[in-house]
Amino acid sequence: MGLDVSMAVCYALPVLVSLLVVRFAYVKYCSGHPHLKLPASAAGMRCLIVLGSGGHTAEMVNVVSTLQKDRYTPRYYVAALTDNMSLQKARVYELSLVQREVDKEKAIENAQFVQIYRSREVGQSYFTSIATTLLATLHTMWIIIRIRPQVILCNGPGTCIPLCVSSFVLKVLGLGWSSIFYIESIARVKKLSLSGLMLYKLRIADQFFVQWPQLQKKYPRACYAGRLM
Amino acid sequence: MGDGERRMVFVTVGTTCFDALAKAVDSELVNEALLQKGYTHLLIQMGRGTYVPSKVTGNSTLQVDYFTFSPSIADYIREASLVISHAGSGSIFETLRLSKPLIVVVNEDLMDNHQSELAEELAERKHLFCAHPQTLQKTIEAMDLTALQPYVPGDAKPVVTLINKFFGFPVD
């Protein structure tokens, strides 16, 4: 009996692994191309917008204010739990889109605000970081599964890495599909940020933008399309 | 420049702790340099810093005042004739957008000092002056405000157009 089970595992495991590898290759191949051709009257795509302190949010609000709101809706804004300012700024922006007081309820349906655990706070001990990183990763996975974003927009705060990696894992597992757009922060002139470098090297982002031409020369797969600020 | 004209220098450290900058602007040499350039008031937003500048009032000298935080830094920037700021992109672009002369002082104590990249690049393009706490006095003495080039704000449209193209949306 025990032998049968181990035999079954021996046969099933390679099959499963090769299926995953094939799927992984397929997802990689599809990155950089839209997954589905959109019908002309698409109802709107669920958008995950990652915010962060230190100028990240201001840049992101500039992008969102230029987006066609009917195409990119509903919008889920994500920021770290300790970052009170960013979501507040996004909320102010979303409310500014609504002219009449009676429409405010509806506006909040189109825009939601999500807080996320940080894997590590500045100055946190190495040992407790392991537990908090695990917690943060599970929490991010849950958020991605719950929202199932079709579009992810981010520009560099550390919180975007677990979000992007989780959504990539879900793509490989066939549980959802999101196109990731990464715009490196304007503060990065000569070198990519750690988040940017990871997404660039792992080729997880479908489109990768930088805001300085000299940075594009250094990272040829990146795209330079002007400054956001 | 009339006698009664108020020309304020606004110093901002944002939400950071940047005592080296507060100390530098509070020094006699920097005060002297600012007076020489015709500034009358110095207002320091000191954030979480522990160094407390000395308040100075009186007509014959540079008048110094300070506070810790304010919800709207923009009002002070608007009022200022010169802004001296930490290297955070928020304050930099807020000041440039309001077309105020700007000296960015780089905090050398920060671990990951990528911030100096932005200040140096914008200084090279003549949109602002870039200094360190110990070179601030020299920068003020040597600065020529007429050499500054106005900053044309960026535009998110090209990026959004490419995102729209990616999804096959018609370009409008």
Side-chain angles (χ1 to χ4, degrees):
Chain A
M1 182 67 191
L3 199 68
D4 283 352
V5 173
S6 52
M7 282 287 277
V9 170
C10 276
Y11 282 115
L13 204 64
V15 174
L16 218 70
V17 169
S18 32
L19 271 177
L20 273 180
V21 168
V22 169
R23 174 73 188 170
F24 181 82
Y26 170 72
V27 170
K28 274 285 188 193
Y29 168 76
C30 288
S31 287
H33 314 280
H35 187 49
L36 300 162
K37 273 282 161 241
L38 293 161
S41 60
M45 292 184 288
R46 287 185 300 278
C47 274
L48 192 75
I49 299 154
V50 188
L51 305 176
S53 54
H56 290 297
T57 297
E59 288 178 39
M60 205 40 110
V61 168
N62 276 1
V63 175
V64 176
S65 60
T66 316
L67 286 177
Q68 290 77 2
K69 302 296 172 305
D70 52 329
R71 292 173 186 170
Y72 301 91
T73 187
R75 294 175 290 282
Y76 298 86
Y77 294 91
V78 186
L81 204 55
T82 44
D83 177 4
N84 301 320
M85 297 290 285
S86 293
L87 288 183
Q88 189 49 39
K89 281 179 192 154
R91 203 170 274 131
V92 168
Y93 168 71
E94 284 289 338
L95 285 175
S96 78
L97 293 176
V98 191
Q99 303 299 318
R100 292 180 307 157
E101 199 62 34
V102 283
D103 293 337
K104 299 257 164 178
E105 296 270 308
K106 180 124 179 52
I108 295 304
E109 271 171 39
N110 292 333
Q112 295 197 22
F113 306 90
V114 185
Q115 287 188 306
I116 189 172
Y117 289 107
R118 246 190 209 177
S119 30
R120 195 168 173 274
E121 289 301 331
V122 179
Q124 191 185 334
S125 88
Y126 200 70
F127 182 69
T128 54
S129 308
I130 299 173
T132 48
T133 303
L134 198 69
L135 183 73
T137 310
L138 287 174
H139 187 224
T140 336
M141 276 274 186
W142 167 241
I143 286 171
I144 294 286
I145 290 171
R146 195 170 52 100
I147 297 175
R148 303 224 306 168
Q150 290 154 301
V151 183
I152 298 182
L153 296 172
C154 48
N155 65 349
T159 38
C160 75
I161 286 296
L163 284 165
C164 291
V165 171
S166 302
S167 85
F168 187 79
V169 169
L170 291 182
K171 267 192 212 180
V172 172
L173 296 176
L175 293 174
W177 195 279
S178 34
S179 302
I180 300 176
F181 299 91
Y182 184 86
I183 308 145
E184 183 59 282
S185 160
I186 194 165
R188 304 297 177 150
V189 182
K190 292 179 184 144
K191 278 194 308 184
L192 292 179
S193 65
L194 187 60
S195 309
L197 194 66
M198 278 176 79
L199 290 182
Y200 185 84
K201 292 278 181 206
L202 296 171
R203 300 179 189 231
I204 284 180
D206 289 85
Q207 279 196 337
F208 193 103
F209 297 97
V210 291
Q211 299 191 49
W212 295 100
Q214 60 267 46
L215 204 53
Q216 197 277 331
K217 286 209 179 81
K218 223 170 149 185
Y219 302 93
R221 275 187 282 117
C223 170
Y224 167 69
R227 285 173 281 109
L228 295 180
M229 298 298 286
Chain B
M1 209 178 313
D3 260 346
E5 200 184 350
R6 175 186 161 95
R7 294 187 75 219
M8 192 256 278
V9 180
F10 179 56
V11 180
T12 175
V13 306
T15 52
T16 64
C17 167
F18 191 1
D19 278 343
L21 175 56
K23 260 182 217 163
V25 290
D26 196 36
S27 75
E28 227 163 88
L29 288 170
V30 168
N31 282 1
E32 194 53 44
L34 289 173
L35 268 177
Q36 287 285 318
K37 287 278 175 180
Y39 297 103
T40 58
H41 291 70
L42 176 64
L43 181 59
I44 306 169
Q45 182 264 322
M46 52 183 272
R48 288 192 285 123
T50 49
Y51 177 82
V52 181
S54 36
K55 287 196 185 192
V56 179
T57 47
N59 277 330
S60 55
T61 176
L62 188 74
Q63 307 193 25
V64 186
D65 201 356
Y66 64 86
F67 63 93
T68 52
F69 290 104
S70 160
S72 176
I73 291 291
D75 293 342
Y76 295 102
I77 296 175
R78 224 171 265 127
E79 212 188 303
S81 306
L82 170 71
V83 177
I84 301 177
S85 165
H86 74 124
S89 69
S91 339
I92 290 180
F93 288 112
E94 194 147 25
T95 309
L96 292 180
R97 204 174 48 235
L98 293 168
S99 316
K100 296 290 179 171
L102 170 64
I103 302 175
V104 170
V105 182
V106 174
N107 189 351
E108 290 149 333
D109 299 334
L110 289 181
M111 290 274 273
D112 170 25
N113 209 348
H114 73 266
Q115 284 191 327
S116 64
E117 281 180 25
L118 178 65
E120 280 157 15
E121 177 68 29
L122 292 171
E124 216 161 278
R125 291 168 181 244
K126 303 251 180 295
H127 298 308
L128 50 81
F129 300 104
C130 186
H132 292 264
Q134 61 275 21
T135 61
L136 182 58
Q137 178 213 344
K138 286 222 166 66
T139 307
I140 294 168
E141 282 169 356
M143 72 180 179
D144 172 17
L145 296 187
T146 57
L148 287 177
Q149 299 288 323
Y151 181 80
V152 182
D155 183 6
K157 267 198 200 103
V159 168
V160 170
T161 303
L162 285 170
I163 296 177
N164 277 325
K165 268 196 189 148
F166 178 91
F167 288 113
F169 284 122
V171 179
D172 29 33

